[in-house]
Amino acid sequence: MVGVAGFGHHQTVTNELETAVRRLCLAFPEAEEFRSHGSANFRIRGGKTFATYVVNHHGDDRIALWLPAPAGLQEMYVTEEPRHFFVPPYVGPRGWLGVRLDRRLPWKRVCQLARNAYEHVAPPRLSASIGRTATVPAPRLRITAADLDPSRTPRGKKILACMRKICLALPETHEGAQFGHSVWRAGKRVFAQAYCREHRWRVAFWVGVPAQALMVSDARFEIPPYMGHNGWISLDVSKSHSENELRALLQNSYRHFALQRMLARCDESITSAHGQARLRSGTREV
């Protein structure tokens, strides 16, 4: 899903590094920001992308800029300074350069590399109009657990603990990772996900297309990109969540994907739990 983004309520800036990168990239002539796959991208208006700001891509523990570069430059930087530079996935084979922002590379050098990337893809009239490289204050580079991996934050830990408690109690389930975030499978099929994008935690599960239209009237729910057309929906749990609500939703999704033998075991466990509850209740009455 791609859309133009700015400093509005859809984008929460939480650290100086992200702010500095945005100011630097948007200072170039006719530059604009758009989001793709959860990352901030910067391009010449209606044209080519010249920078992508990526945080912990698929769990790689990096905060980086991916920049297009002239032929041969990538190999030179990566060979001579592997601490600061790397070959990024997807765009690396096309010569793009990965620049680590979490290794204290001098900020003036980052600014120059961003300018080089812009000039590499910009038409001559825009390159000629840049003038001096924009003076953007260097960030303090206070990298936190939230910057690299939101699952390490107190809120992230609480959400994942709740998801594991509910999902792993169901028959033949296990946790895995997909595109850098946690997923839970019934057998081989994913029935639940938890992820943090644009600093907001969401859990996703299947409800069916007819139910989607009813649920999105609640502002906490939205139809997620890529999988929404298959009947999935996501719930914003950034501030709070109800374990009972999640249990009902996740169990419903599980039942959609689980095999018959798994459903039989699930029903047996529910029946047993209800029987034990009645027995405990009867004992208290006596």
Side-chain angles (χ1 to χ4, degrees), residues 91-243:
V91 292
R94 302 205 304 269
W96 283 52
L97 179 66
V99 182
R100 296 202 62 159
L101 303 178
D102 52 353
R103 293 282 181 85
R104 296 194 176 277
L105 185 67
W107 183 246
K108 286 185 178 180
R109 198 170 174 197
V110 174
C111 294
Q112 186 59 52
L113 288 165
R115 175 178 179 143
N116 293 346
Y118 176 89
E119 292 178 329
H120 181 60
V121 301
R125 67 174 181 83
L126 291 181
S127 294
S129 67
I130 295 179
R132 297 180 60 183
T133 302
T135 302
V136 175
R140 288 198 298 264
L141 293 176
R142 295 174 58 195
I143 308 302
T144 67
D147 295 321
L148 280 175
D149 186 356
S151 68
R152 302 175 191 171
T153 63
R155 184 63 190 149
K157 290 177 180 178
K158 190 171 184 178
I159 293 167
L160 292 177
C162 182
M163 292 291 288
R164 288 166 182 147
K165 177 181 178 181
I166 297 169
C167 294
L168 298 180
L170 299 168
E172 297 185 43
T173 58
H174 62 278
E175 182 178 348
Q178 185 171 293
F179 302 114
H181 59 255
S182 297
V183 299
W184 288 267
R185 289 182 168 88
K188 296 182 178 180
R189 306 182 71 185
V190 174
F191 72 95
Q193 304 182 15
Y195 53 88
C196 186
R197 290 179 183 161
E198 300 182 28
H199 315 297
R200 300 194 69 81
W201 271 100
R202 308 194 73 88
V203 296
F205 36 82
W206 182 91
V207 294
V209 173
Q212 286 176 326
L214 297 174
M215 297 177 76
V216 292
S217 61
D218 182 333
R220 298 176 303 151
F221 292 96
E222 70 176 28
I223 299 174
Y226 314 119
M227 54 190 180
H229 66 284
N230 289 323
W232 283 68
I233 202 162
S234 70
L235 170 64
D236 190 335
V237 292
S238 299
K239 296 182 179 180
S240 64
H241 66 274
S242 163
E243 183 175 324

Side-chain angles (χ1 to χ4, degrees), residues 57-111:
H57 179 73
H58 290 189
D60 67 2
D61 282 337
R62 294 178 178 134
I63 297 181
L65 271 180
W66 297 356
L67 304 172
L73 201 63
Q74 178 201 84
E75 182 180 1
M76 182 185 73
Y77 276 117
V78 172
T79 301
E80 295 182 0
E81 299 179 80
R83 172 177 168 78
H84 296 300
F85 302 101
F86 64 98
V87 178
Y90 314 124
V91 292
R94 302 205 304 269
W96 283 52
L97 179 66
V99 182
R100 296 202 62 159
L101 303 178
D102 52 353
R103 293 282 181 85
R104 296 194 176 277
L105 185 67
W107 183 246
K108 286 185 178 180
R109 198 170 174 197
V110 174
C111 294

